[in-house]
Amino acid sequence: MIRIVTVGRVRRLEQDADRARCRVREVQGQADAAWGRHVREVADLTARAEEAESDAGILREHVFELAGALKKSEGEAETLKERADRSEVAASESDVLFSHAVEELSAAQQELLLREIEIRRLREELRGMRVEGRTLMVLLHHGQPHTIYASREDAYADTATHGVPAGTRWVPSAERPSAACTWCLEAFIYHPASRGFRRVHMPAPKPVGGAA
């Protein structure tokens, strides 16, 4: 059986293919924009971690200074205690000085501990934001990009706000084009060579015309 494909049919198929390529470029642009925001967030977290480490270094020096001052105060306290029999006032001043030094040392050690906890948290957050193999989910409405999500779970949780009933069961679209679906989720994975995101499942190319 021979199927005759008219020039008009070929032209319409080419126009459909052009529109499909435009949609792919648009989704690619949104994915790249999301990647750019992610890079800026990583840079900001890195700067905060470096600043926290610098502050921790300063606090360590302060702790060492206070420890030295405390040791010196302990020596002075011993001297003052030896003079306590001759002067009760001198002994009282020594106790106040020693107590104040202990309080400052305790506060500085507590601040240093909090800084170190913050540094560990920022490092864990940075490690959790590695983009190698990371996937973004794009919600399409009748084939048009609608919303980009960081994960499939986020997409499922948010689609109810766009008119998809809660608890709706999502099924594979098989060979149906995304434009034929009211709502469709497409996965894009980070591609290191292009430093951008590409579709996980690329549609198979279709012939423009010919005999069947």
Side-chain angles (χ1 to χ4, degrees):
M1 174 175 128
I2 298 176
R3 183 172 63 187
I4 304 301
V5 179
T6 64
V7 174
R9 172 64 175 169
V10 171
R11 187 174 294 113
R12 286 193 298 274
L13 289 173
E14 290 176 340
Q15 290 174 349
D16 290 343
D18 289 338
R19 285 193 292 271
R21 282 191 289 272
C22 288
R23 286 198 299 273
V24 169
R25 285 194 296 270
E26 183 178 353
V27 172
Q28 183 71 53
Q30 291 187 355
D32 289 343
W35 162 244
R37 289 192 299 272
H38 171 75
V39 170
R40 289 192 294 273
E41 290 172 359
V42 170
D44 180 62
L45 286 172
T46 301
R48 287 168 55 193
E50 291 174 352
E51 182 179 356
E53 289 178 342
S54 176
D55 292 342
I58 295 174
L59 283 171
R60 288 190 190 95
E61 293 178 0
H62 187 47
V63 167
F64 292 150
E65 291 175 358
L66 287 174
L70 178 59
K71 186 175 182 180
K72 181 180 179 181
S73 297
E74 289 174 346
E76 293 175 351
E78 290 297 328
T79 302
L80 289 172
K81 285 178 181 179
E82 293 174 358
R83 299 174 181 174
D85 294 338
R86 299 190 301 269
S87 176
E88 293 181 358
V89 175
S92 177
E93 291 176 352
S94 173
D95 290 339
V96 170
L97 179 63
F98 182 77
S99 176
H100 182 66
V102 170
E103 289 175 359
E104 285 191 356
L105 178 60
S106 176
Q109 289 174 333
Q110 182 68 23
E111 179 67 15
L112 177 59
L113 177 61
L114 293 175
R115 290 286 184 177
E116 290 176 344
I117 292 173
E118 177 65 8
I119 289 171
R120 286 196 295 271
R121 186 188 68 78
L122 289 173
R123 285 175 175 167
E124 289 295 329
E125 190 171 352
L126 283 172
R127 280 195 291 269
M129 295 184 69
R130 297 186 187 279
V131 297
E132 188 71 24
R134 185 178 180 185
T135 301
L136 295 177
M137 299 301 299
V138 179
L139 180 65
L140 306 176
H141 185 52
H142 293 298
Q144 299 298 320
H146 188 278
T147 309
I148 297 177
Y149 300 96
S151 67
R152 189 180 298 273
E153 290 73 18
D154 291 344
Y156 287 162
D158 185 59
T159 49
T161 64
H162 303 307
V164 180
T168 297
R169 183 170 175 268
W170 291 78
V171 297
S173 61
E175 296 299 325
R176 296 176 61 193
S178 58
C181 303
T182 304
W183 294 102
C184 178
L185 281 172
E186 286 279 0
F188 286 75
I189 192 167
Y190 179 69
H191 188 257
S194 62
R195 303 184 73 178
F197 286 80
R198 291 184 178 179
R199 276 183 173 175
V200 174
H201 302 292
M202 295 297 292
K206 295 182 179 180
V208 175

